[in-house]
Amino acid sequence: MDSILIQGGRPLRGTLSVQGCKNALLPLMAAAAAIPGQTILTGCPPIRDETVTLALLEGLGVSTAAERDRLVLDASRDGGTAPDPTLAGQLRSSVLFLGALLGRYGHAGVPLPGGCVLGKRPLDLHLAGLEALGVQSFCDGGILHCKGRPRGGHYHLPYPSVGATENLILAALGAEEPVWITGAAREPEIEDLVNFLTASGARISGGGSSRVHIIPAPLHGTSYRVLPDRMEAATWLCAAACTGGSLTLTRLCPDHLRPVLRALRAAGCEITEGEASLRICAGDLHSPGSVRTAPYPGFPTDAQAPVMAALLRAEGITRFEETVFDDRFRHIPALQAMGARIACSGSAALVTGVRELHGARVAATDLRGAAAMVCAALGARGESEITQAWHLDRGYGNFVQRLRRLGAVALAR
Ligand code: UD1
């Protein structure tokens, strides 16, 4: 999708089933390369990052088949240890092949990953953790080479990096001795990875907590349903909030969305919860005060841009503080072009609610920033065009069709 045209001002209404989680699916797909058997994943969203990861797996000799929301990945036979650099450069999660291949084969040569530009995204914690487990690494010509079967032992993450926690868990699967990771990230996607690996024969305790213990064990194929996508759910809630709409979302876990629900409720949205569903009714909004991103269970950095879009017309001043990534306000100029009043200073952004937004032609900067621009455009007067809309294809399946089903006037080009 090159661009999206949106005619704003229509409240979104209806019911949507939330898609499978991108940030859970991609680590599971990388993990499948470590499993000498057939992995069947269901509930998979039709997103571009999945297509790219399928191609990466094929390149490593894993046989793949995709039908509707089901993937069959067969890594029964030993395969390659060097993912394709062009494909790997399109995704952040390609770095997880490092742990997966290292755990299985005792060596790997993984290209430096790509993904959204959100500021510095170093890999020092991934490599320090591997080194603590006895793995040597060096970077040459854009390829990260790792050698040596992980010995086992303990590593304390000085910051709860999602990717480093996942990489270390994957590498530990093939360790000679048990591995303890403390200071681990606690995101639901990590718990999902651990649940999947446990279903595949791994012996892991503490997934989703800051202390993870991995006892090496033989792995086998399994069938597994991917977790619902809390960030897709957050995006739809914000789209409803931007348009004064009312939506019911099904197939989600409300607990995974606590800080987002808290902010939207504090802004005046009525949100009712079922066991695996949410209903939002939005009217006039006011500032919820401040929103500060933090590792889980804090307010998710991925929801910062969409929630900012939802509060552009909220009465009063909302202060956003981004603490996870150092350049995650790249969507702000586009929101300003739609009439938003936002003052930025370092890691803080002050949003002063305006009465009205107007349509504009803006360029998407990253996946969640693009989602924020769409949300703002849905609530703006007149027509907007969001170019470079391919960012959205990476993480939202059938996005424009789903928008239209909820009553939006939107066109993909
Ligand atoms: C993951 C998600 C991404 C999401 C982000 C935050 C996946 C594949 N990606 O990214 O979609 O936006 O979490 O929820 O699930 N850091 C270091 N050194 C390291 C690793 C990280 O300094 O070795 C820093 C990063 O620069 C960043 C912070 O730690 O400032 C968080 O990064 P991390 O949790 O690793 O995020 P990702 O795994 O990249």
Side-chain angles (χ1 to χ4, degrees), residues 22-24 26-27 92-96 118-127 157 159-166 185 187 189 230-231 300-302 323-326 328 367-368:
K22 164 186 167 293
N23 288 345
L26 302 178
R92 184 69 187 169
S93 60
S94 59
V95 76
L96 302 180
L118 312 173
K120 289 193 292 292
R121 299 184 82 174
L123 297 172
D124 55 320
L125 302 177
H126 300 238
L127 300 182
L157 277 158
Y159 182 88
S161 153
V162 175
T165 302
E166 291 169 340
E187 268 70 359
E189 292 77 16
R230 62 193 170 109
M231 293 311 152
T301 172
D302 278 2
T323 76
V324 178
F325 289 104
D326 61 11
R328 204 157 195 187
L367 175 62
R368 307 301 170 186

Side-chain angles (χ1 to χ4, degrees), residues 162-218:
V162 175
T165 302
E166 291 169 340
N167 239 339
L168 293 175
I169 291 173
L170 290 170
L173 296 172
E176 289 163 2
E177 299 287 335
V179 172
W180 282 266
I181 305 166
T182 54
R186 295 184 281 160
E187 268 70 359
E189 292 77 16
I190 294 176
E191 193 176 359
D192 204 47
L193 174 64
V194 167
N195 290 342
F196 162 75
L197 291 170
T198 303
S200 306
R203 290 179 61 197
I204 308 180
S205 56
S209 81
S210 57
R211 295 175 67 86
V212 187
H213 186 208
I214 303 113
I215 300 174

